[in-house]
Amino acid sequence: MSITWNSIWETHPDVFIVKEWKEYPEDKKRASRLPLQYAYFMGGETTLRVGIIASATINREDEFLLAGLLWGHRLSNGTKTVIYYVAPDFSTSFLTGLSKVGGIIDARAVYWREKLMPSLYPIPEKQLFSRVRYPMGEDRPNWKRWGESLNPVARQQLVTVNNFFSQLADRRVRIVVKNQTINIYWGNYEIAEVRKKGKKFELNSKVKWLKSSEQMQKWQKQGWVDASASLNPEFSATILEILDYLESLQKACQLRPHDHLALMLHNGEGALKMLWGSPWAWPWLPKDRSETAVLELEEWFYFQGNGQLSVVCPIFDKSLLKAARSILLASVLERSLLLVSAKDELGNLLVWDGRVHWLTTPGKEEELRRSYSWLSDVSRFPIWTLPEDWQENGIDALNCQSNHFSQSLMQKGYL
């Protein structure tokens, strides 16, 4: 769809603080590495730069948010800059995310309604700062509730399956219960699945991550509970072989970096335990398909200690995009009821301090730090870096790159 944005700006001069907009051409967008799917306009004077980023449709709000910040950074060159986001609609998390933008860039949102007159509607500042929280997600079922729809025999067999995998917790096996499946993981690697089939269930090993089709076929086994209330030996032995294999990859430092880190974070030992406490399992599932943020937040890591809940977001690649996405997801946590009644395993309430800890590698730190020029409160997103040799020697020398604390925890005597 072709839109003459300039004519829209001209018919709504009262919406913006400047006039006579100039569109940024396609060749310059490419040269500046700005996403091409959006329209960019510039205005203002030497002491105040003003820009517009506009789109008729928004597929990914994190990309839209980042594109506007990049546009503001391109315009500002250290000068105070105002960026207007123009789109048909904005989510609550996007508007809350804009309220976190500060420093040299001031971000504002404007609704565009194609078939209405006027067609532009600035969103009042007070709407950005609304403190009303909204419900989101539904409780994740436990093993007992998951098995309530099964027949009595299958429910008893499910207890055997639960016991088998629970006994492997010391080998860092973790269990994720969903509505129709129970998925068994070692780090990021799914090794088994329990799936409902009417009033019964099916149990299978899962090795889709293997590159060797021969090995995949060898370890693709079905499990069942026999007359002695035990899992069939072939399935049990296969699961143990899979664990042996994965553990050997870890010892040889052959896991992908983000998979290796996920294993450490799920385990929560050493510096992680001293710093943030014990791992806290994400207790939510989306109620419907629109609640994609609930699934995205499940990919983060949560820790509980001394009544506090800490939130950790690993960033290995696409640093600026991941930073923009984390701002939006932090806004979801802030504006929703997801963490309001968070509790530890004893039922005690946990309090989230509002911070999202960015965990990255030294090579990505500087790129990630660019986000600080866009944030009104950088203390809400502290940057932590892993040591260079973390895959071989662990992460006890974790470093916080915040201005007030830059030395390693080991050097400061905290560990």
Side-chain angles (χ1 to χ4, degrees):
M1 179 174 61
S2 178
I3 300 174
T4 308
W5 289 110
N6 245 332
S7 64
I8 296 176
W9 314 150
E10 291 171 1
T11 56
H12 298 79
D14 55 319
V15 171
F16 309 106
I17 58 177
V18 299
K19 302 178 182 179
E20 298 179 356
W21 295 98
K22 295 181 180 179
E23 185 169 7
Y24 207 50
E26 292 291 317
D27 59 335
K28 289 191 176 182
K29 282 198 284 186
R30 289 188 176 88
S32 301
R33 297 184 178 180
L34 292 171
L36 302 178
Q37 65 266 40
Y38 309 120
Y40 304 85
F41 294 82
M42 65 181 76
E45 302 175 354
T46 304
T47 56
L48 178 63
R49 311 288 175 81
V50 186
I52 294 176
I53 176 171
S55 183
T57 58
I58 301 299
N59 293 323
R60 288 189 52 176
E61 286 190 328
D62 54 350
E63 293 179 346
F64 191 47
L65 175 63
L66 176 59
L69 295 174
L70 292 173
W71 178 224
H73 188 75
R74 172 69 179 80
L75 289 176
S76 71
N77 196 26
T79 302
K80 184 66 178 179
T81 302
V82 177
I83 291 295
Y84 292 94
Y85 287 85
V86 179
D89 204 1
F90 302 97
S91 69
T92 303
S93 60
F94 189 91
L95 297 179
T96 306
L98 288 191
S99 71
K100 300 181 185 300
V101 176
I104 62 173
I105 297 178
D106 181 25
R108 304 178 186 180
V110 179
Y111 286 125
W112 170 66
R113 295 292 187 264
E114 181 182 12
K115 298 181 180 180
L116 296 181
M117 184 55 67
S119 59
L120 295 183
Y121 300 85
I123 300 177
E125 290 289 323
K126 62 181 180 180
Q127 185 171 340
L128 298 180
F129 292 95
S130 172
R131 307 311 302 171
V132 177
R133 290 181 180 268
Y134 53 87
M136 193 177 189
E138 62 182 8
D139 289 334
R140 187 184 299 277
N142 56 24
W143 282 82
K144 181 179 179 181
R145 186 152 61 92
W146 193 88
E148 286 177 351
S149 62
L150 303 178
N151 64 48
V153 174
R155 283 200 297 271
Q156 187 58 43
Q157 292 173 338
L158 189 64
V159 173
T160 300
V161 176
N162 184 4
N163 291 338
F164 173 78
F165 287 111
S166 296
Q167 290 170 3
L168 296 174
D170 60 343
R171 296 192 66 174
R172 293 172 290 186
V173 167
R174 62 188 182 91
I175 301 168
V176 178
V177 183
K178 301 178 182 179
N179 286 327
Q180 295 298 316
T181 64
I182 298 175
N183 305 88
I184 316 299
Y185 291 90
W186 184 89
N188 283 340
Y189 297 90
E190 185 180 9
I191 63 173
E193 178 190 74
V194 186
R195 178 173 292 274
K196 287 183 181 178
K197 290 291 183 180
K199 296 292 184 178
K200 300 179 181 180
F201 67 84
E202 287 185 352
L203 172 62
N204 290 283
S205 60
K206 289 287 182 177
V207 286
K208 292 183 179 179
W209 38 267
L210 278 172
K211 295 181 180 179
S212 169
S213 57
E214 182 179 348
Q215 189 78 334
M216 187 183 300
Q217 186 175 3
K218 175 186 175 184
W219 281 343
Q220 189 62 61
K221 301 294 182 183
Q222 186 172 16
W224 62 84
V225 179
D226 59 26
S228 63
S230 300
L231 283 179
N232 57 307
E234 185 181 28
F235 177 83
S236 302
T238 296
I239 295 298
L240 297 179
E241 288 178 18
I242 293 171
L243 290 177
D244 290 340
Y245 173 73
L246 289 171
E247 289 169 352
S248 70
L249 291 182
Q250 182 201 3
K251 291 178 182 177
C253 296
Q254 293 179 355
L255 296 177
R256 292 176 299 182
H258 66 276
D259 288 330
H260 196 163
L261 180 62
L263 181 66
M264 292 182 171
L265 292 173
H266 281 303
N267 200 35
E269 294 182 349
L272 299 171
K273 191 173 186 64
M274 294 293 293
L275 182 62
W276 294 312
S278 303
W280 183 79
W282 179 248
W284 299 103
L285 291 172
K287 283 187 294 188
D288 53 60
R289 292 182 179 181
S290 66
E291 293 185 342
T292 56
V294 176
L295 293 175
E296 292 175 331
L297 286 166
E298 187 177 1
E299 296 175 1
W300 286 4
F301 296 84
Y302 304 83
F303 297 87
Q304 57 183 1
N306 299 320
Q308 179 174 305
L309 188 65
S310 297
V311 181
V312 178
C313 170
I315 298 179
F316 270 90
D317 57 0
K318 300 180 181 178
S319 302
L320 295 181
L321 180 60
K322 295 289 181 63
R325 184 179 303 167
S326 71
I327 293 171
L328 297 183
L329 290 176
S331 299
V332 173
L333 290 179
E334 182 180 306
R335 293 292 306 278
S336 71
L337 295 170
L338 289 172
L339 295 185
V340 170
S341 301
K343 296 180 181 180
D344 62 18
E345 64 277 3
L346 299 177
N348 300 314
L349 282 175
L350 296 168
V351 177
W352 175 47
D353 61 6
R355 293 187 295 173
V356 174
H357 300 271
W358 288 341
L359 182 57
T360 189
T361 59
K364 296 293 182 181
E365 174 203 341
E366 287 305 317
E367 183 180 1
L368 196 57
R369 190 178 289 277
R370 287 178 56 190
S371 303
Y372 275 10
S373 65
W374 309 329
L375 294 171
S376 57
D377 184 2
V378 299
S379 67
R380 302 290 290 273
F381 298 91
I383 300 174
W384 296 81
T385 58
L386 298 161
E388 294 284 357
D389 60 351
W390 67 272
Q391 292 192 74
E392 296 81 11
N393 298 320
I395 56 178
D396 282 345
L398 198 64
N399 282 269
C400 182
Q401 302 300 329
S402 299
N403 292 332
H404 67 281
F405 181 44
S406 60
Q407 294 182 336
S408 75
L409 297 174
M410 293 290 285
Q411 291 171 328
K412 294 287 286 187
Y414 284 83
L415 296 176

